[in-house]
């Protein structure tokens, strides 16, 4: 397992290089730069000086090589739009809130979705099964911004139970994760149900029951443990999506996270902010997938030798 972890960490380097190259290429294809906006009446001489300052006057491969060097020295560069602010400072100040929001949304999705799917599988074709699938379908069908709006109207405004916006206390950190995590919760519920129904038909489950093992032990040790592997597989990419794809929820609940900077940086052609946040997203997904592979070894010991 140690060799596998080291090998995956080494493979992180070409992944990051490829992500930087693809992001850099796409930003170049969009065209324009933050110093040539129509609402910013900047003289041509000042534009040239700014482009020279940020290295935009150099060939693309020189810009790419310089940015890669800066990334591996943990310097994401200055923002081209937000004067006097560096990408490192933006990430340090804003990113923890997005991580908290995404982590809490993932926790809600797993804690509610997996048991919901397990109950539906164990009570197949019963009222509990149908009710769980109705909840799952609603979670799929209703977009997160509508869920957020309904939660604010009923829970905050009509009932006065929780605040409508902010991220200061634990009371502020209840509604946004629910709104963001409802869709993944529905997905995990259906995934857990399907996986458990398939596992329940396996020979080793029937053998365990025939040997007289208690049904609760069979479910926990044999059925649930093996059924969690598909859920763990999906959890890695979902975590990266929830952390960086929360722009709408952050806007609705007025959470000062990183999502707003991501969208605004693309619109403003702020190359350094866009690429810096993209690199961080790539690293989060790589780390999440690495954790998934480690959990594979814990859930299924047969995979340890194959991955060593």
């Amino acid at each position: 397992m140690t060799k596998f972890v080291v090998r995956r960490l080494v493979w992180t380097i070409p992944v990051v290089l490829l992500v930087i190259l693809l992001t850099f290429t796409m930003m170049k294809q969009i065209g324009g730069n933050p110093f040539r906006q129509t609402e910013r009446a900047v003289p041509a001489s000042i534009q040239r000086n700014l482009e020279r300052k940020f290295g935009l006057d150099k060939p693309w491969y020189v810009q790419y090589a310089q940015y890669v060097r800066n990334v591996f020295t943990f310097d994401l560069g200055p923002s081209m739009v937000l004067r006097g602010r560096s990408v490192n400072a933006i990430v340090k100040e804003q990113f923890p809130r997005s991580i908290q929001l995404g982590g809490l949304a993932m926790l809600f999705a797993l804690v509610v979705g997996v048991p919901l799917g397990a109950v539906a599988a164990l009570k197949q074709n019963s009222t509990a099964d149908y009710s769980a699938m109705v909840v799952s379908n609603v979670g799929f069908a209703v977009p997160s911004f509508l869920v957020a709006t309904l939660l604010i109207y009923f829970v905050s405004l009509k009932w006065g139970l929780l605040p409508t916006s902010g991220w200061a206390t634990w009371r502020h950190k209840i509604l946004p994760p629910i709104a963001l995590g409802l869709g993944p919760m529905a997905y995990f519920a259906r995934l857990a149900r399907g996986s458990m129904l398939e596992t329940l038909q396996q020979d080793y489950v029937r053998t365990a029951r025939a040997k007289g093992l208690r049904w609760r032990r069979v479910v926990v040790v044999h059925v649930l443990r093996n059924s969690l592997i598909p859920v763990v597989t999906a959890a890695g990419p979902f975590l990266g999506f929830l952390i960086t794809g929360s722009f709408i929820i952050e806007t609705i609940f007025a959470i000062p996270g990183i999502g707003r900077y991501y969208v605004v940086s693309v619109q403003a052609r702020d190359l350094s902010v866009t690429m810096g946040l993209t690199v961080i997203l790539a690293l989060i997904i790589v780390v999440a997938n690495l954790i998934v592979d480690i959990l594979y070894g814990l859930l299924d010991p047969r995979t340890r030798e194959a991955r060593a």
Side-chain angles (χ1 to χ4, degrees):
M1 180 64 73
T2 303
K3 293 181 179 179
F4 171 75
V5 173
V6 173
R7 189 163 59 245
R8 285 297 302 271
L9 290 175
V10 172
W11 269 105
T12 301
I13 298 176
V15 170
V16 172
L17 292 175
L18 182 59
V19 168
I20 295 175
L21 179 60
L22 292 176
T23 307
F24 185 85
T25 302
M26 286 188 291
M27 290 298 293
K28 287 296 183 182
Q29 291 297 320
I30 293 176
N33 66 49
F35 316 122
R36 294 180 178 175
Q37 307 296 329
T38 55
E39 68 274 9
R40 301 166 63 96
V42 180
S45 59
I46 297 180
Q47 288 185 14
R48 288 192 296 268
N49 290 335
L50 290 172
E51 291 173 3
R52 188 179 304 110
K53 175 183 177 181
F54 291 101
L56 298 179
D57 60 331
K58 299 177 181 178
W60 70 268
Y61 51 86
V62 176
Q63 298 181 43
Y64 174 75
Q66 184 175 358
Y67 187 80
V68 169
R69 184 177 68 250
N70 292 339
V71 167
F72 283 94
T73 57
F74 304 100
D75 180 12
L76 299 177
S79 171
M80 299 179 183
V81 175
L82 303 174
R83 298 293 181 258
R85 299 202 63 186
S86 66
V87 181
N88 288 38
I90 294 174
V91 171
K92 183 179 180 180
E93 181 180 348
Q94 310 295 334
F95 209 58
R97 300 185 185 94
S98 295
I99 292 178
Q100 290 181 21
L101 175 58
L104 290 174
M106 174 61 72
L107 181 63
F108 166 77
L110 291 174
V111 170
V112 177
V114 173
L116 195 65
V119 170
L122 295 175
K123 304 291 185 180
Q124 186 181 13
N125 296 328
S126 66
T127 303
D129 183 16
Y130 297 142
S131 300
M133 289 302 97
V134 168
V135 173
S136 177
N137 290 331
V138 170
F140 269 122
V142 181
S144 60
F145 67 86
L146 180 57
V147 176
T149 304
L150 293 175
L151 288 175
I152 290 175
Y153 176 74
F154 286 103
V155 179
S156 300
L157 299 179
K158 193 170 184 179
W159 300 333
L161 299 177
L162 295 171
T164 59
S165 61
W167 196 253
T169 66
W170 65 269
R171 299 179 72 248
H172 295 88
K173 302 177 182 180
I174 297 178
L175 295 185
I178 293 175
L180 183 61
L182 185 62
M185 181 276 293
Y187 179 78
F188 289 144
R190 297 183 70 89
L191 192 62
R193 178 182 182 274
S195 181
M196 285 195 67
L197 287 176
E198 182 179 355
T199 305
L200 287 170
Q201 305 301 320
Q202 299 299 318
D203 292 335
Y204 62 84
V205 175
R206 289 193 289 266
T207 301
R209 297 192 64 180
K211 290 169 61 176
L213 293 179
R214 295 178 60 185
W215 176 236
R216 180 179 300 178
R217 178 175 176 82
V218 173
V219 170
V220 174
V221 176
H222 297 283
V223 179
L224 184 60
R225 182 174 180 176
N226 290 311
S227 301
L228 285 177
I229 292 179
V231 176
V232 170
T233 303
F238 257 117
L239 180 59
F241 164 75
L242 291 176
I243 291 176
T244 58
S246 57
F247 168 71
I248 296 177
I249 299 301
E250 289 180 4
T251 301
I252 293 175
F253 288 97
I255 300 173
I258 206 68
R260 178 172 63 89
Y261 284 91
Y262 209 163
V263 176
V264 172
S265 67
V266 175
Q267 295 174 340
R269 309 296 192 270
D270 195 344
L271 182 64
S272 55
V273 174
T274 301
M275 293 190 61
L277 298 183
T278 303
V279 169
I280 292 176
L281 167 61
L283 290 175
I284 289 175
I285 294 179
V286 168
V287 172
N289 287 332
L290 176 61
I291 295 174
V292 165
D293 289 327
I294 294 175
L295 291 177
Y296 268 160
L298 298 177
L299 292 173
D300 189 357
R302 295 173 299 178
T303 63
R304 295 176 186 173
E305 295 183 358
R307 301 184 180 203

